[in-house]
Amino acid sequence: MAGNRTLTIIKPDAFGAGKAGKIIAHLEAGGFRVVAARVMHLSTAQAEEFYGVHRERPFFRSLVTFMTSGKCMPMILEKADAVAELRRAIGSTDPAEAAEGTVRKLYAESKERNAIHASDSDENATRESRFFFAEAGTL
Ligand code: CMP
């Protein structure tokens, strides 16, 4: 059975533009509950580790530069079937392709500066939650 928690990050584009409150309200209206949250400025090493799976991609350096360009807001969210539900709620990676009413359609600037991250599997939700919240197992 799919898990009920996932990891999201309000990225520096959206956080820096003061959109965090609206995005959280949008997600709460969609049935998500915030289980943990923090505001932080990722180091280059942290961004490289978090996005390590993309290390060989042509956009990797640009992605790391963007993710370290300002503060971001990692959160653990709870809802039944959380991973699939959050990916549906945020929309496609490229906001030009995102469905109406999704977070990226409403708040993202581009395929890279796309406002929000969401874990893509239960396994990664657990790994990514531990990355930002050492106490994740006890929440
Ligand atoms: P995210 O869901 O956080 O996962 C990887 C991130 O890499 C993605 O959101 C985008 O911010 C970025 N990304 C993915 N594909 C591209 C691309 N083709 N060009 C630039 N950035 C990308």
Side-chain angles (χ1 to χ4, degrees), residues 2-22:
N4 64 349
R5 287 188 177 181
T6 191
L7 186 282
T8 189
I9 308 171
I10 299 176
K11 297 186 180 183
D13 57 331
F15 190 84
K19 296 174 180 171
K22 285 182 178 152

Side-chain angles (χ1 to χ4, degrees), residues 11 51 54 59 63 93 104 111-112 114 116-118:
K11 297 186 180 183
Y51 280 118
H54 297 306
F59 58 81
L63 175 61
T93 303
R104 284 172 171 159
K111 196 167 190 175
E112 178 173 87
N114 63 356
I116 192 164
H117 166 83

Side-chain angles (χ1 to χ4, degrees), residues 57-138:
R57 303 279 196 100
F59 58 81
F60 180 69
R61 287 266 52 101
S62 175
L63 175 61
V64 169
T65 298
F66 162 53
M67 289 301 294
T68 57
S69 65
K71 290 180 179 173
C72 66
M73 190 170 183
M75 296 185 283
I76 298 175
L77 299 179
E78 195 167 76
K79 184 180 182 181
D81 199 14
V83 167
E85 283 289 301
L86 185 62
R87 291 183 74 77
R88 190 186 52 73
I90 71 171
S92 302
T93 303
D94 186 342
E97 296 168 10
E100 292 296 330
T102 59
V103 174
R104 284 172 171 159
K105 184 72 173 182
L106 290 166
Y107 300 111
E109 296 173 23
S110 68
K111 196 167 190 175
E112 178 173 87
R113 299 172 63 84
N114 63 356
I116 192 164
H117 166 83
S119 307
D120 64 4
S121 66
D122 283 342
E123 187 184 2
N124 281 335
T126 299
R127 182 183 67 79
E128 294 175 0
S129 295
R130 288 196 184 123
F131 185 91
F132 290 113
F133 302 95
E135 72 281 27
T138 61

